[in-house]
Amino acid sequence: MCGIAGIVQSNGQNIGNPNSMAAIRGMTGAMRHRGPDGEGYVFLSPAASTPGSPAIALGHRRLAILDLSPAGAQPMRSHDGRFTIALNGEIFNYRELRAELGGEFRSGADTEVLVEACAAWGVEKTLDRVNGMFAFALWDSREQELTLARDRNGEKPLVYFWDEARGSQSVFAFASELKALAGLHSSRLDPAAVDAYLALGYVPAPLAIFRDCRKVPPGHLLRLRAGRIDVRRWWFPEKTPAADGRPQGDRAAELRSLVADAVRLRLRADVPVALSLSGGVDSSAIAVECAGQAAALECRAPEAFTVVIDGDQTDLPHARAVARHLSLRHHAIEVRSQAAAKQLDLASAHYDEPFADSSALPSLALASALAGHYKVILNGDGGDEAFAGYRHYEHIAAKQFLKATAAAAGFGDGAGRIGVYVQSKTTFRLRERSRLLAGHASGATLQELLASDSYLQIAPAGGALQRALWSDRHLHLANDLTYKVDIALAAYGMEGRAPFLDHRILEWAQGLDAKHLVRGRQKKVLLRETYRNALPAGVLDRAKHGFGAPIAAWLAGPLKETVRASLPCPLLDPEGQRSASGQRLWTLLTFARWAQKWGAQW
């Protein structure tokens, strides 16, 4: 976890002047929490041999995890001096890539491996070989080209500002967090982004909440050259070959091998690593592999931590049972609702965009409790989207079976439509959003994001369950779940690592037949079978328990006065807000508190 930032001026001015230097330092200063261990800057003047070439400044805030010495500081130049890079995140297979590259290295950092790989193989070929979570900026001094690239699942954020209307005076800027661009945008809301938020509870890429700002989508890269921007995909998971019908026993062995290797790579650190343990199947499977790696290396396994909200100990006994079974040191972290209003305002300060996922609050609590003790924490994120862990997958699987049966009899095609699936889960429906937006937007943003040419629609062959999983992996997981974890942990100088988000696991899992995912009311069929003999039976057979805050109780209790003082939000139609309750009320409240904190306006 680090913070990167940059400014590109297309008018050929020397970016090393005091104003530009102050601007880039201000941008990185706004993200000091992401990298409290150091800062670095590079100022590159326009090329004298190329009239009109841009000037660029790169800034970096360091969270030292690999090679803690000054040799790992950034921005970092390639050995030949052509490329300069600033990296946020981790390249987990950097040792393997380093061995493949050969030659001498000046540090033990993954950043040096990445920049040398780009120099040797090119950006696209390097990205195909990389296993990691990252967002990086790469400046090519020979081609006078800036490349921004983001990891496959959006684990590391990357937002940019570009006001094309300025023409030759245009400034392009980017950063790990939107707050670093506050000196450039006007805090004017992007209507499409607000529309998407009211539908989904988060703002999906490429949208960003403020005008003239955008996000690089997960699995995409952006190139800026000669004042023009080109954004394109570099990850194409739909091209992964389908599973080949091997028996389930072989599948279980292959899955166990994939998860074990994903954990092995994500335990690489020159600092201690902790484990978030809910007692559910996903984090418990990760705990099994952590214990196995520790035994193989004859070292101590990570400490495990469980969040308890308002004394709700639904998860705690299961987490303790797993920890005892694997001989892991275990701790419980208490979160109390008396501090609910304070936590909500804290979330509004840390999250750059309105964010209605209530699990952000316990995520912040976990990060706060571990701050100063750990920089790296493993979690089970991604298991639900890879192996069908959410309750609504039961209904989709049942309907898919019925539709497939009807299709066999000639009454239907047995397929599902992603657009219909996403629309069915929206917090506010189209007509409601149109009213709330009061003429600022039509409420049609979601349909545009899910247009036929969107990569969200390019799902591999399969029925409704497979398409729902594809949608959740590329929309919900890559824009909600990863954003939540990154911001919460970054607020306290930490990074999360999620082995189930290893692209090899997700690509492999998308070829699974429905029978390996959901069977009746049992979900994650194959994952449970894989760890049947490695975990206590009670853990594998328990129902899923969510990680969110108890918003119904909070809204009726400790947040009652906050609701009265904050709603109706003046930025939205007042009448459309009056009857809201439950998740809808929470969505409006988080938007209102966020807008007040960041001075948002139309």
Side-chain angles (χ1 to χ4, degrees):
M1 184 77 67
C2 298
I4 63 173
I7 304 174
V8 180
Q9 291 184 339
S10 61
N11 57 5
Q13 292 182 358
N14 189 336
I15 204 159
N17 65 68
N19 289 338
S20 296
M21 293 177 69
I24 192 69
R25 291 180 185 276
M27 291 169 68
T28 56
M31 302 183 294
R32 188 183 186 283
H33 51 281
R34 297 188 72 90
D37 297 330
E39 59 185 322
Y41 306 92
V42 168
F43 301 94
L44 301 169
S45 299
S49 59
T50 308
S53 62
I56 183 169
L58 293 177
H60 186 264
R61 292 293 321 192
R62 186 183 185 194
L63 181 67
I65 292 175
L66 292 172
D67 190 346
L68 311 185
S69 76
Q74 299 184 50
M76 188 178 289
R77 282 194 172 96
S78 60
H79 292 189
D80 62 8
R82 174 180 170 182
F83 297 96
T84 305
I85 196 169
L87 167 68
N88 170 28
E90 307 289 345
I91 307 302
F92 297 123
N93 64 335
Y94 74 100
R95 294 179 185 172
E96 290 77 7
L97 295 176
R98 177 171 173 160
E100 191 174 348
L101 286 165
E104 296 292 327
F105 284 81
R106 298 167 295 202
S107 73
D110 55 338
T111 306
E112 185 179 5
V113 174
L114 180 60
V115 71
E116 295 305 328
C118 289
W121 304 327
V123 175
E124 282 88 344
K125 289 183 179 179
T126 296
L127 289 170
D128 287 339
R129 299 186 190 196
V130 160
N131 185 322
M133 55 177 193
F134 54 83
F136 68 79
L138 181 76
W139 175 248
D140 183 341
S141 61
R142 189 177 76 187
E143 298 296 330
Q144 293 289 290
E145 181 177 77
L146 175 70
T147 298
L148 304 181
R150 194 170 176 207
D151 65 62
R152 297 169 177 87
N153 296 300
E155 293 183 76
K156 297 294 110 187
L158 189 54
V159 62
Y160 62 95
F161 168 89
W162 192 37
D163 183 2
E164 294 183 78
R166 296 185 184 182
S168 62
Q169 300 300 312
S170 66
V171 173
F172 177 91
F174 65 88
S176 294
E177 294 188 15
L178 194 58
K179 59 175 63 73
L181 303 178
L184 296 168
H185 66 71
S186 59
S187 298
R188 294 179 62 207
L189 294 166
D190 183 305
V194 179
D195 184 8
Y197 167 78
L198 293 173
L200 302 171
Y202 55 89
V203 179
L207 299 174
I209 196 64
F210 293 124
R211 299 187 189 192
D212 299 321
C213 296
R214 285 290 184 269
K215 304 188 191 87
V216 177
H220 282 63
L221 59 81
L222 177 153
R223 283 204 166 97
L224 173 67
R225 185 175 184 178
R228 294 185 177 182
I229 284 178
D230 176 36
V231 180
R232 64 181 68 174
R233 291 176 71 196
W234 65 264
W235 183 42
F236 300 89
E238 70 275 10
K239 295 182 180 179
T240 304
D244 60 7
R246 282 165 290 185
Q248 183 161 328
D250 293 341
R251 287 183 182 281
E254 190 169 355
L255 175 57
R256 182 72 186 265
S257 177
L258 283 169
V259 177
D261 196 58
V263 170
R264 178 184 68 86
L265 292 179
R266 284 157 182 77
L267 284 173
R268 288 177 170 174
D270 294 332
V271 295
V273 178
L275 171 66
S276 176
L277 181 62
S278 70
V281 178
D282 302 333
S283 62
S284 297
I286 302 304
V288 168
E289 302 303 343
C290 284
Q293 295 287 337
L297 297 173
E298 297 183 347
C299 63
R300 202 171 190 180
E303 285 189 89
F305 296 84
T306 303
V307 175
V308 177
I309 304 175
D310 279 352
D312 179 1
Q313 298 198 4
T314 304
D315 286 334
L316 191 57
H318 300 281
R320 283 176 172 163
V322 171
R324 283 196 301 269
H325 184 74
L326 299 174
S327 300
L328 301 178
R329 292 162 292 163
H330 181 251
H331 311 274
I333 298 172
E334 294 277 348
V335 178
R336 293 292 177 182
S337 64
Q338 285 83 352
K342 182 179 179 181
Q343 291 175 38
L344 182 60
D345 286 339
L346 183 66
S348 298
H350 286 301
Y351 286 85
D352 298 305
E353 298 184 304
F355 191 61
D357 186 338
S358 64
S359 62
L361 301 185
S363 296
L364 283 166
L366 174 65
S368 175
L370 298 184
H373 302 286
Y374 286 97
K375 291 183 178 180
V376 178
I377 182 163
L378 266 63
N379 60 59
D381 290 350
D384 288 319
E385 292 79 8
F387 301 104
Y390 296 122
R391 186 170 298 171
H392 62 265
Y393 293 143
E394 297 176 24
H395 309 296
I396 295 173
K399 289 180 180 179
Q400 178 168 309
F401 175 78
L402 294 174
K403 290 177 74 175
T405 303
F411 294 112
D413 61 8
R417 294 174 55 201
I418 286 179
V420 173
Y421 170 69
V422 175
Q423 295 281 5
S424 71
K425 299 198 302 174
T426 54
T427 305
F428 291 97
R429 299 300 172 91
L430 189 151
R431 184 176 298 179
E432 296 168 322
R433 299 198 305 273
S434 180
R435 179 177 182 177
L436 283 168
L437 291 164
H440 291 286
S442 65
T445 300
L446 210 53
Q447 291 94 314
E448 295 169 3
L449 286 172
L450 298 170
S452 58
D453 61 345
S454 167
Y455 71 94
L456 293 169
Q457 292 285 9
I458 310 174
L465 179 59
Q466 282 79 4
R467 290 178 177 273
L469 285 163
W470 175 274
S471 169
D472 286 339
R473 289 168 190 158
H474 295 280
L475 186 60
H476 167 74
L477 185 153
N479 291 283
D480 179 329
L481 190 148
T482 57
Y483 175 63
K484 172 193 71 179
V485 173
D486 176 85
I487 295 296
L489 294 179
Y492 295 94
M494 300 176 63
E495 75 171 24
R497 297 181 177 182
F500 283 121
L501 293 185
D502 189 304
H503 69 280
R504 298 170 299 171
I505 294 177
L506 292 177
E507 291 174 354
W508 183 87
Q510 76 184 17
L512 292 174
D513 189 81
K515 65 184 179 182
H516 298 303
L517 300 169
V518 180
R519 187 179 301 150
R521 299 194 66 180
Q522 185 182 19
K523 299 174 289 296
K524 300 181 185 173
V525 172
L526 179 60
L527 184 62
R528 293 175 191 273
E529 182 61 30
T530 299
Y531 287 91
R532 179 66 59 186
N533 298 322
L535 288 167
V539 172
L540 291 169
D541 298 330
R542 64 177 294 214
K544 180 175 178 59
H545 182 247
F547 186 56
I551 59 173
W554 284 12
L555 290 169
L559 287 178
K560 193 172 183 178
E561 290 302 317
T562 303
V563 171
R564 185 177 291 114
S566 305
L567 297 177
C569 175
L571 294 169
L572 303 173
D573 173 67
E575 292 303 318
Q577 304 176 60
R578 297 198 187 282
S579 59
S581 61
Q583 184 61 40
R584 292 184 174 198
L585 181 57
W586 183 260
T587 300
L588 293 172
L589 179 62
T590 53
F591 178 80
R593 302 300 290 183
W594 169 87
Q596 184 178 26
K597 167 64 182 177
W598 294 101
Q601 56 186 315
W602 287 113

